[in-house]
Amino acid sequence: MRIVARGGKIAAASKAEGTKRGHFTYKFGFLSLGHRIGTLARLVLNVRGCDHPRISSNQRGVLMNVNRTVSVDAEPYSFEFEPAHCALLIIDMQRDFLEPGGFGEMLGNDVSRLRSTIEPNRRLLAAWRGEGLQVIHTREGHRPDLTDLPPAKKARGRSKTSIGDEGPMGRILVRGQPGHDIIPELYPLPTEPVIDKPGKGAFFATDLHAILQSRGIQKLVVTGVTTEVCVNTTVREANDRGFDCLVLADCVGSYFPEFQEMGLQMIKAQGGIFGWVSDSARMLAALG
């Protein structure tokens, strides 16, 4: 006898016999009550065997491991999470910040320091997606009419070219412009939310908190750029809202080596005042 689950209902069926009713084949009539209960119990305990058209193989893997705890070697001590309640949050991996000829390079920065994060992020993202886990991306930018751009931010750096002006990849940090978009190496899937944020932190003036709550997310693995600005700000905002954050050192980057080091030091200082720090190799090893 085999167990068939279709349309959210459960039926016990036989290849050789049974009475079909619509899309369901029932074969419970000859079973005692005890056998029926036992059959259903085995089905519940063996979700892997269900042939459910709404559940992909990746999703079945997550369902099977929903209660397992993954432990990652980290500082100041191991970071533990349940896969179903943890999301990968990739901060601002945008063309204007990482690509040659973009806004970052136009300001005189060495974008190769940020580009070194692309490959470890790509490997991590592939593994995370392979496990069927949740991914969220962010982009820093503003409305085309700039009504959400504070004058203080517009004036920062006293540069001749600033946010909203025409740059090498369209209007700088304006939503919908080529430079504002995420780099192709890490481009979001249609099922992965993209948070468009007007500030440094991913929680300020966005619906990120609501999305995390609705999806039952309690912990975040944070990557992206830059370490000392948007990554640090987001981790601190998350900490204040009760989320545990693990930052992967080789998956975050800064234009300035000293800021990279100090940004990570501040996160894990004083017993992990804002969160934990590890790297992608140790995360991949923990995921198996």
Side-chain angles (χ1 to χ4, degrees):
M1 184 176 72
R2 61 190 176 94
I3 301 299
V4 179
R6 293 193 181 95
K9 296 184 179 180
I10 298 170
S14 168
K15 291 183 178 179
E17 54 188 314
T19 304
K20 292 187 177 179
R21 300 178 184 176
H23 293 293
F24 307 102
T25 305
Y26 296 92
K27 183 60 180 175
F28 279 116
F30 71 95
L31 294 176
S32 68
L33 178 60
H35 279 98
R36 295 183 199 183
I37 294 173
T39 297
L40 291 175
R42 285 193 296 275
L43 176 64
V44 171
L45 292 173
N46 292 279
V47 177
R48 195 175 197 174
C50 288
D51 179 23
H52 198 304
R54 298 180 186 175
I55 300 177
S56 69
S57 59
N58 281 341
Q59 289 172 318
R60 283 200 294 268
V62 173
L63 286 174
M64 282 198 314
N65 297 298
V66 67
N67 292 318
R68 75 181 177 109
T69 298
V70 175
S71 181
V72 183
D73 185 21
E75 295 180 273
Y77 50 88
S78 295
F79 180 82
E80 296 184 346
F81 68 95
E82 293 180 358
H85 301 293
C86 185
L88 174 61
L89 181 62
I90 305 177
I91 306 290
D92 299 358
M93 296 292 280
Q94 296 164 250
R95 296 184 62 200
D96 248 339
F97 297 142
L98 286 103
E99 291 190 357
F103 181 50
E105 187 173 78
M106 188 186 74
L107 293 176
N109 296 307
D110 179 5
V111 296
S112 68
R113 296 189 182 280
L114 300 195
R115 292 190 64 79
S116 67
T117 68
I118 295 176
E119 183 56 24
N121 266 292
R122 188 195 63 77
R123 291 194 299 266
L124 175 67
L125 180 58
W128 203 264
R129 286 171 172 168
E131 292 289 332
L133 305 182
Q134 300 190 59
V135 181
I136 300 173
H137 306 257
T138 75
R139 297 182 295 202
E140 182 181 353
H142 297 274
R143 295 164 52 97
D145 61 8
L146 304 183
T147 52
D148 60 349
L149 175 63
K153 186 176 181 181
K154 170 72 173 173
R156 70 179 182 182
R158 298 183 178 181
S159 174
K160 292 182 179 179
T161 305
S162 61
I163 297 172
D165 296 337
E166 283 294 330
M169 299 182 188
R171 294 179 67 199
I172 296 167
L173 293 186
V174 170
R175 296 171 189 171
Q177 297 293 300
H180 174 260
D181 210 358
I182 292 170
I183 59 174
E185 295 92 333
L186 304 174
Y187 209 77
L189 297 178
T191 55
E192 296 170 355
V194 178
I195 305 298
D196 281 317
K197 60 188 185 68
K200 312 297 191 300
F203 288 86
F204 169 68
T206 75
D207 55 0
L208 175 59
H209 197 181
I211 290 173
L212 296 177
Q213 287 182 318
S214 70
R215 295 186 170 199
I217 298 300
Q218 300 164 356
K219 302 193 178 188
L220 299 170
V221 174
V222 183
T223 73
V225 299
T226 61
T227 306
E228 75 278 13
V229 183
C230 294
V231 171
N232 243 275
T233 304
T234 297
V235 168
R236 294 178 185 218
E237 286 182 329
N239 177 264
D240 282 343
R241 289 163 175 78
F243 297 95
D244 287 337
C245 294
L246 172 66
V247 178
L248 301 181
D250 59 329
C251 292
V252 297
S254 171
Y255 296 122
F256 309 100
E258 62 273 26
F259 293 170
Q260 170 80 359
E261 180 181 356
M262 293 311 300
L264 295 172
Q265 290 283 358
M266 285 188 286
I267 290 169
K268 64 184 180 181
Q270 302 180 64
I273 190 169
F274 297 122
W276 289 255
V277 174
S278 186
D279 56 45
S280 63
R282 286 184 278 186
M283 172 57 77
L284 292 174
L287 289 175

PDB file of all heavy atoms in Angstrom, residues 4-16:
ATOM      1  N   VAL A   4      -0.760   8.594  -0.545  1.00  0.00           N
ATOM      2  CA  VAL A   4      -0.806   9.663  -1.528  1.00  0.00           C
ATOM      3  C   VAL A   4      -1.366  10.902  -0.858  1.00  0.00           C
ATOM      4  O   VAL A   4      -2.362  10.835  -0.153  1.00  0.00           O
ATOM      5  CB  VAL A   4      -1.691   9.278  -2.737  1.00  0.00           C
ATOM      6  CG1 VAL A   4      -1.737  10.413  -3.737  1.00  0.00           C
ATOM      7  CG2 VAL A   4      -1.167   8.002  -3.389  1.00  0.00           C
ATOM      8  N   ALA A   5      -0.710  12.054  -1.051  1.00  0.00           N
ATOM      9  CA  ALA A   5      -1.229  13.320  -0.532  1.00  0.00           C
ATOM     10  C   ALA A   5      -1.428  14.258  -1.705  1.00  0.00           C
ATOM     11  O   ALA A   5      -0.486  14.591  -2.391  1.00  0.00           O
ATOM     12  CB  ALA A   5      -0.271  13.924   0.477  1.00  0.00           C
ATOM     13  N   ARG A   6      -2.665  14.659  -1.952  1.00  0.00           N
ATOM     14  CA  ARG A   6      -2.944  15.579  -3.056  1.00  0.00           C
ATOM     15  C   ARG A   6      -3.949  16.627  -2.587  1.00  0.00           C
ATOM     16  O   ARG A   6      -4.860  16.330  -1.841  1.00  0.00           O
ATOM     17  CB  ARG A   6      -3.534  14.845  -4.270  1.00  0.00           C
ATOM     18  CG  ARG A   6      -2.563  13.877  -4.942  1.00  0.00           C
ATOM     19  CD  ARG A   6      -3.096  13.440  -6.299  1.00  0.00           C
ATOM     20  NE  ARG A   6      -2.201  12.513  -6.945  1.00  0.00           N
ATOM     21  CZ  ARG A   6      -2.318  11.202  -6.884  1.00  0.00           C
ATOM     22  NH1 ARG A   6      -3.277  10.662  -6.163  1.00  0.00           N
ATOM     23  NH2 ARG A   6      -1.465  10.416  -7.524  1.00  0.00           N
ATOM     24  N   GLY A   7      -3.735  17.857  -3.079  1.00  0.00           N
ATOM     25  CA  GLY A   7      -4.685  18.915  -2.775  1.00  0.00           C
ATOM     26  C   GLY A   7      -4.817  19.207  -1.308  1.00  0.00           C
ATOM     27  O   GLY A   7      -5.811  19.737  -0.858  1.00  0.00           O
ATOM     28  N   GLY A   8      -3.789  18.871  -0.501  1.00  0.00           N
ATOM     29  CA  GLY A   8      -3.833  19.141   0.924  1.00  0.00           C
ATOM     30  C   GLY A   8      -4.570  18.083   1.705  1.00  0.00           C
ATOM     31  O   GLY A   8      -4.740  18.184   2.907  1.00  0.00           O
ATOM     32  N   LYS A   9      -5.062  16.967   1.044  1.00  0.00           N
ATOM     33  CA  LYS A   9      -5.766  15.903   1.739  1.00  0.00           C
ATOM     34  C   LYS A   9      -4.942  14.622   1.671  1.00  0.00           C
ATOM     35  O   LYS A   9      -4.083  14.450   0.822  1.00  0.00           O
ATOM     36  CB  LYS A   9      -7.137  15.679   1.119  1.00  0.00           C
ATOM     37  CG  LYS A   9      -8.038  16.908   1.276  1.00  0.00           C
ATOM     38  CD  LYS A   9      -9.417  16.636   0.736  1.00  0.00           C
ATOM     39  CE  LYS A   9     -10.322  17.845   0.910  1.00  0.00           C
ATOM     40  NZ  LYS A   9     -11.669  17.625   0.404  1.00  0.00           N
ATOM     41  N   ILE A  10      -5.224  13.707   2.565  1.00  0.00           N
ATOM     42  CA  ILE A  10      -4.444  12.490   2.693  1.00  0.00           C
ATOM     43  C   ILE A  10      -5.305  11.288   2.327  1.00  0.00           C
ATOM     44  O   ILE A  10      -6.465  11.202   2.720  1.00  0.00           O
ATOM     45  CB  ILE A  10      -3.906  12.336   4.130  1.00  0.00           C
ATOM     46  CG1 ILE A  10      -2.975  13.513   4.441  1.00  0.00           C
ATOM     47  CG2 ILE A  10      -3.174  11.015   4.303  1.00  0.00           C
ATOM     48  CD1 ILE A  10      -2.589  13.568   5.894  1.00  0.00           C
ATOM     49  N   ALA A  11      -4.747  10.368   1.569  1.00  0.00           N
ATOM     50  CA  ALA A  11      -5.472   9.155   1.229  1.00  0.00           C
ATOM     51  C   ALA A  11      -4.525   7.992   1.244  1.00  0.00           C
ATOM     52  O   ALA A  11      -3.344   8.132   0.974  1.00  0.00           O
ATOM     53  CB  ALA A  11      -6.112   9.285  -0.147  1.00  0.00           C
ATOM     54  N   ALA A  12      -5.021   6.806   1.560  1.00  0.00           N
ATOM     55  CA  ALA A  12      -4.234   5.597   1.450  1.00  0.00           C
ATOM     56  C   ALA A  12      -4.697   4.880   0.206  1.00  0.00           C
ATOM     57  O   ALA A  12      -5.884   4.715  -0.024  1.00  0.00           O
ATOM     58  CB  ALA A  12      -4.451   4.706   2.678  1.00  0.00           C
ATOM     59  N   ALA A  13      -3.751   4.456  -0.646  1.00  0.00           N
ATOM     60  CA  ALA A  13      -4.133   3.911  -1.936  1.00  0.00           C
ATOM     61  C   ALA A  13      -3.374   2.646  -2.243  1.00  0.00           C
ATOM     62  O   ALA A  13      -2.327   2.379  -1.670  1.00  0.00           O
ATOM     63  CB  ALA A  13      -3.890   4.945  -3.024  1.00  0.00           C
ATOM     64  N   SER A  14      -3.895   1.877  -3.162  1.00  0.00           N
ATOM     65  CA  SER A  14      -3.247   0.667  -3.637  1.00  0.00           C
ATOM     66  C   SER A  14      -3.118   0.764  -5.140  1.00  0.00           C
ATOM     67  O   SER A  14      -3.997   1.289  -5.813  1.00  0.00           O
ATOM     68  CB  SER A  14      -4.077  -0.563  -3.266  1.00  0.00           C
ATOM     69  OG  SER A  14      -3.599  -1.699  -3.952  1.00  0.00           O
ATOM     70  N   LYS A  15      -2.001   0.271  -5.662  1.00  0.00           N
ATOM     71  CA  LYS A  15      -1.825   0.297  -7.107  1.00  0.00           C
ATOM     72  C   LYS A  15      -2.845  -0.619  -7.781  1.00  0.00           C
ATOM     73  O   LYS A  15      -3.290  -0.376  -8.889  1.00  0.00           O
ATOM     74  CB  LYS A  15      -0.415  -0.146  -7.468  1.00  0.00           C
ATOM     75  CG  LYS A  15       0.664   0.840  -7.050  1.00  0.00           C
ATOM     76  CD  LYS A  15       2.019   0.357  -7.506  1.00  0.00           C
ATOM     77  CE  LYS A  15       3.109   1.358  -7.125  1.00  0.00           C
ATOM     78  NZ  LYS A  15       4.447   0.899  -7.528  1.00  0.00           N
ATOM     79  N   ALA A  16      -3.188  -1.705  -7.124  1.00  0.00           N
ATOM     80  CA  ALA A  16      -4.012  -2.713  -7.754  1.00  0.00           C
ATOM     81  C   ALA A  16      -5.497  -2.471  -7.543  1.00  0.00           C
ATOM     82  O   ALA A  16      -6.310  -2.890  -8.353  1.00  0.00           O
ATOM     83  CB  ALA A  16      -3.642  -4.092  -7.220  1.00  0.00           C
TER      84      ALA A  16
END
